[in-house]
């Protein structure tokens, strides 16, 4: 990927076949699909790539067990369609990004024998619907087997469990690799650039966009024959900017998640709580030495500030603690995040919990704008394939098949399960740092290490007990268009998700490195660090957590988990 300065020159004032607005999962997938079909494409994102919904998922690649139950109980064909499509796409996600995904088993504890039978039958149907995309069959676990896998479960009344298989992925990094793959294919992408208006031809059809660079304030135009709106929860604002008379379609729903140290509930499998007090399911998933718990479901306005609140924390702990032998407390939370699901509704729809995750492609006859709305992470590729097929019709070009079904994403080429071991051995890295680099960059980790070889100071860890090295910050700026401290800590190296308090400690280091790369003066760098620290403190305050590090269970001051230094 080129630098932002280079891409600004390549995009401003230029003509493209297609402009995709929105650099989340769906927009990036649309851009990649189009470029691979020979459509000259530009991708424009108002914030950072994966800066909103697409980095706020539960990190699960799944069909959706809840959708199966609703499809059967309500004879709901829409839910059935979402489920089957996602089950088939699940395997493609796993295969197209082996460096960012893994197979994960989910255990559903049962406290009544009738629940065992109900779950066993339901999950057998789940397996069957996956067809050739089935990963491995679900199975019943005895009480002993269940507790062997999850010794921290509440044993009172427990009779056993049912286990099934789905996948897990790094959402922010997967999104970034979609963008990287798009630019490798010849596309042009720009983040922190907001579309503020449309250009129109003599027939009032859209012919381009007016864009404001959010960092410099510069405004420029881009011409495009077709424009796709892939802005997720805020799709209505773009639709109505094109044609003000259009009615609203989006019904965004906030999903909040919290993270704990994994030792509060040691497990290699994910826990599925089959029914919460409001009829949803709740997951507790092992994630990079953390236990990720979520999610909530609360309808919000498109412009709502998306934060984990004290009420969200209380709700999730109330559901989770019923299943744990030792209840967890808010003081043990290390971080969290909240995002908006892009649910599509129609007049008369009720609670967002009952809205399907199906997608809708809308072609506005007045302006020609194509909007792709709704859907879920697991179906992002299929949504993009359908959208670009519709783009081809608008362009009046002969239909060409999508090439993304078996397209290995950037960093996945040549990847093997033992790649981290090889990286550590060849470059003298600690195992923890090699695993971290591999999990974030795949085989592109070699390029990060190469920067550190040119300047050995960049081999230093960002924080002593965290495996990320300083070269990752430089690489993120030069090769992944990171422009803010949050871009790096939240979506490039994952430290903000690992620990809010560690991210605060890391901000000055990251700010110093970015200042050198982006030519910030001392005043601007200090302000950038302060803005980031204030934002993280705001997240802590909103969740009802102390800004100070709490004591761990053994009475020591809570720090990030020990992962070793960067190099031997």
């Amino acid at each position: 990927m080129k630098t932002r300065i280079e891409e600004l020159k390549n995009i401003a004032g230029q003509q493209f076949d297609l402009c995709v607005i929105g650099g989340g999962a769906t927009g990036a997938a649309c851009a990649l699909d189009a470029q691979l079909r020979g459509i000259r494409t530009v991708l424009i994102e108002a914030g950072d790539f994966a800066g909103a919904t697409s980095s706020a998922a539960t990190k699960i690649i799944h069909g959706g067990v809840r959708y199966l139950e609703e499809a059967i109980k309500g004879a709901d064909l829409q839910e059935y369609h979402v489920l089957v499509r996602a089950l088939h796409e699940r395997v493609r996600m796993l295969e197209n990004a082996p460096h960012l995904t893994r197979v994960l088993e989910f255990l559903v504890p049962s406290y009544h024998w009738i629940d065992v039978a109900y779950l066993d039958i339901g999950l057998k149907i789940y397996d069957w619907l996956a067809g050739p995309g089935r990963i491995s069959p679900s199975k019943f676990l005895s009480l002993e087997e269940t507790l062997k896998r999850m010794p921290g479960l509440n044993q009172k009344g427990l009779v056993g469990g049912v286990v099934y298989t789905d996948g897990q992925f790094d959402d922010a990094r997967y999104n970034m690799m979609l963008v990287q793959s798009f630019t490798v294919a010849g596309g042009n992408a720009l983040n922190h650039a907001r579309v503020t208006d449309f250009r129109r031809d003599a027939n009032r059809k859209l012919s381009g966009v007016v864009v404001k660079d959010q960092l410099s304030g510069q405004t420029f135009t881009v011409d495009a024959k077709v424009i796709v709106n892939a802005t997720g929860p805020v799709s209505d604002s773009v639709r109505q900017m094109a044609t003000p008379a259009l009615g609203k379609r989006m019904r965004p729903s906030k999903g909040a998640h919290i993270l704990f140290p994994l030792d509060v509930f040691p497990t290699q499998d994910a826990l599925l709580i089959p029914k919460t007090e409001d009829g949803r399911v709740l997951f507790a998933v092992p994630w990079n030495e953390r236990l990720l718990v979520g999610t909530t479901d609360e309808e919000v306005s498109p412009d709502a500030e998306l934060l984990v609140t004290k009420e969200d924390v209380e709700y999730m702990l109330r559901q989770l603690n019923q299943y744990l032998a030792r209840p967890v407390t808010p003081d043990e939370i290390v971080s969290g995040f909240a995002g908006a699901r892009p649910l599509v509704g129609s007049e008369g729809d009720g609670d967002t919990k009952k809205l399907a995750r199906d997608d809708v492609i809308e072609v506005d006859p007045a302006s020609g704008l194509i909007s792709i709305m709704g859907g879920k992470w697991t179906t992002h590729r299929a949504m993009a394939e359908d959208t670009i097929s519709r783009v081809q019709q608008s362009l009046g070009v002969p239909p060409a098949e999508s090439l993304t079904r078996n397209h290995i994403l950037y960093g996945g080429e040549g990847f093997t399960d033992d790649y981290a071991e090889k990286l550590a051995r060849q470059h003298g890295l600690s195992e923890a740092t090699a695993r971290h680099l591999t999990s974030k960059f795949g085989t592109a980790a070699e390029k990060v290490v190469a920067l550190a070889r040119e300047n050995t100071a960049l081999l230093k860890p960002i924080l002593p007990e965290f495996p990320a090295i300083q070269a990752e910050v430089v690489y993120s700026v030069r090769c992944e268009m990171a422009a803010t401290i949050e871009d790096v800590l939240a979506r490039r190296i994952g430290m903000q998700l690992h620990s809010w308090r560690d991210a605060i400690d890391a901000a000055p280091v990251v700010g110093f490195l970015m200042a050198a790369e982006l030519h910030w003066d001392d005043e601007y760098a200090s302000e950038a660090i302060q803005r980031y620290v204030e934002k993280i403190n705001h997240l802590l305050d909103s969740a009802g957590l102390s800004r100070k590090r709490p004591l761990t269970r053994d009475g020591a001051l809570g720090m990030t988990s020990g992962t070793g230094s960067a190099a031997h």
Side-chain angles (χ1 to χ4, degrees):
M1 188 183 293
K2 297 180 177 68
T3 66
R4 284 193 85 255
I5 292 175
E6 290 176 292
E7 281 293 60
L8 272 167
K9 293 177 182 177
N10 293 333
I11 292 170
Q14 299 302 305
Q15 168 78 46
F16 294 86
D17 297 326
L18 172 66
C19 173
V20 178
I21 307 173
T26 304
C30 283
L32 174 61
D33 193 301
Q35 191 69 32
L36 291 175
R37 294 198 213 189
I39 299 169
R40 187 170 182 237
T41 303
V42 61
L43 176 67
I44 298 176
E45 162 58 39
D48 187 23
F49 303 119
T53 296
S54 294
S55 58
T58 313
K59 327 299 182 197
I60 296 171
I61 307 170
H62 66 142
V65 172
R66 180 168 69 93
Y67 307 129
L68 172 64
E69 183 177 28
E70 291 175 0
I72 294 173
K73 282 184 175 180
D76 191 328
L77 290 177
Q78 191 178 20
E79 293 281 15
Y80 174 82
H81 172 73
V82 172
L83 171 66
V84 173
R85 191 183 208 193
L87 284 170
H88 292 170
E89 286 296 312
R90 182 179 61 173
V91 174
R92 291 186 177 125
M93 276 193 75
L94 290 165
E95 292 177 347
N96 286 346
H99 53 312
L100 302 174
T101 64
R102 68 174 182 134
V103 169
L104 182 64
E105 290 199 315
F106 291 72
L107 194 155
V108 189
S110 299
Y111 290 84
H112 299 93
W113 284 109
I114 193 169
D115 292 339
V116 172
Y118 181 79
L119 287 165
D120 193 41
I121 293 169
L123 290 169
K124 288 292 187 291
I125 297 172
Y126 191 73
D127 294 338
W128 175 72
L129 290 174
R134 188 177 77 172
I135 301 173
S136 64
S138 58
K139 59 186 177 182
F140 168 72
L141 298 180
S142 68
L143 175 61
E144 292 74 22
E145 290 172 310
T146 300
L147 290 174
K148 184 176 181 181
R149 287 194 178 213
M150 288 187 178
L153 280 174
N154 180 359
Q155 299 182 29
K156 186 177 180 181
L158 185 67
V159 297
V162 180
V163 67
Y164 69 98
T165 307
D166 266 327
Q168 186 176 49
F169 75 122
D170 187 326
D171 51 3
R173 297 305 298 163
Y174 203 110
N175 198 147
M176 180 55 64
M177 294 307 105
L178 286 169
V179 178
Q180 286 275 35
S181 300
F182 163 64
T183 60
V184 167
N188 296 102
L190 189 67
N191 61 355
H192 297 288
R194 181 178 296 279
V195 172
T196 59
D197 202 355
F198 289 112
R199 289 163 64 83
R200 300 174 192 268
D201 62 19
N203 297 317
R204 302 298 297 164
K205 298 287 188 181
L206 304 186
S207 62
V209 292
V210 179
V211 184
K212 181 179 180 180
D213 181 354
Q214 303 281 74
L215 303 180
S216 69
Q218 171 193 354
T219 298
F220 57 91
T221 61
V222 179
D223 290 329
K225 298 173 185 175
V226 177
I227 298 172
V228 165
N229 169 23
T231 55
V234 297
S235 294
D236 284 337
S237 63
V238 177
R239 292 171 63 244
Q240 293 176 337
M241 183 164 59
T243 303
L246 286 175
K248 293 185 177 182
R249 297 292 305 276
M250 302 309 298
R251 294 277 305 280
S253 167
K254 188 185 92 170
H257 300 76
I258 50 179
L259 290 95
F260 299 87
L262 188 56
D263 61 9
V264 304
F265 184 70
T267 179
Q268 295 182 352
D269 303 314
L271 168 67
L272 169 61
I273 295 173
K275 195 161 188 178
T276 60
E277 62 192 38
D278 60 352
R280 288 186 51 77
V281 299
L282 192 78
F283 292 99
V285 184
W287 171 257
N288 292 334
E289 300 181 21
R290 294 297 190 232
L291 184 74
L292 189 160
V293 178
T295 178
T296 60
D297 191 324
E298 175 192 354
E299 186 164 6
V300 293
S301 64
D303 57 353
E305 185 179 20
L306 296 170
L307 299 165
V308 179
T309 65
K310 187 177 181 180
E311 291 72 27
D312 293 330
V313 169
E314 291 171 349
Y315 167 84
M316 285 186 274
L317 293 193
R318 204 161 56 243
Q319 315 311 311
L320 177 64
N321 281 337
Q322 296 177 56
Y323 287 81
L324 305 187
R326 191 201 72 82
V328 292
T329 67
D331 286 344
E332 294 171 289
I333 296 171
V334 292
S335 69
F337 58 92
R341 298 181 193 85
L343 303 180
V344 184
S346 58
E347 193 171 345
D349 282 334
D351 200 333
T352 54
K353 291 189 287 292
K354 296 181 173 63
L355 289 179
R357 296 295 295 273
D358 211 353
D359 57 275
V360 175
I361 297 174
E362 175 192 79
V363 182
D364 175 21
S367 68
L369 178 70
I370 299 175
S371 294
I372 172 66
M373 298 173 284
K376 53 185 288 185
W377 238 116
T378 307
T379 59
H380 75 282
R381 192 215 61 81
M383 292 163 59
E385 178 178 331
D386 293 345
T387 304
I388 301 309
S389 293
R390 187 60 189 82
V391 166
Q392 288 181 317
Q393 295 176 29
S394 294
L395 286 171
V397 298
E401 288 191 5
S402 172
L403 299 177
T404 59
R405 295 188 180 193
N406 301 291
H407 186 80
I408 303 299
L409 297 184
Y410 188 80
E413 313 91 337
F415 182 81
T416 56
D417 290 341
D418 63 348
Y419 184 80
E421 296 172 21
K422 293 177 182 176
L423 192 72
R425 190 166 57 248
Q426 291 171 2
H427 298 286
L429 301 171
S430 71
E431 290 182 9
T433 292
R435 283 196 306 270
H436 166 79
L437 289 171
T438 300
S439 71
K440 296 297 178 186
F441 303 96
T443 52
E446 292 281 357
K447 297 182 179 182
V448 179
V449 176
L451 290 175
R453 292 300 170 206
E454 295 172 8
N455 178 2
T456 54
L458 296 178
L459 265 175
K460 294 178 182 177
I462 293 172
L463 287 182
E465 297 298 327
F466 193 75
I469 57 175
Q470 295 184 19
E472 293 173 60
V473 180
V474 175
Y475 178 86
S476 296
V477 173
R478 294 183 187 177
C479 304
E480 292 192 347
M481 223 173 276
T484 70
I485 293 172
E486 182 181 350
D487 290 352
V488 172
L489 288 173
R491 291 173 289 278
R492 302 305 187 280
I493 68 175
M495 188 179 287
Q496 182 174 310
L497 195 60
H498 189 79
S499 168
W500 279 334
R501 298 176 185 93
D502 284 351
I504 288 175
D505 291 344
V509 178
V510 173
F512 173 79
L513 292 165
M514 294 187 77
E517 288 295 310
L518 296 171
H519 309 294
W520 295 347
D521 59 30
D522 290 345
E523 182 180 3
Y524 185 89
S526 296
E527 289 174 355
I529 294 166
Q530 187 59 33
R531 281 195 304 271
Y532 181 75
V533 170
E534 288 175 356
K535 178 167 185 174
I536 300 302
N537 279 330
H538 180 47
L539 296 178
L540 286 162
D541 293 344
S542 173
L545 307 179
S546 171
R547 295 185 180 187
K548 297 179 180 178
R549 292 184 184 274
L551 295 178
T552 60
R553 292 185 197 171
D554 59 7
L557 192 63
M559 300 292 287
T560 189
S561 56
T563 47
S565 59
H568 291 306

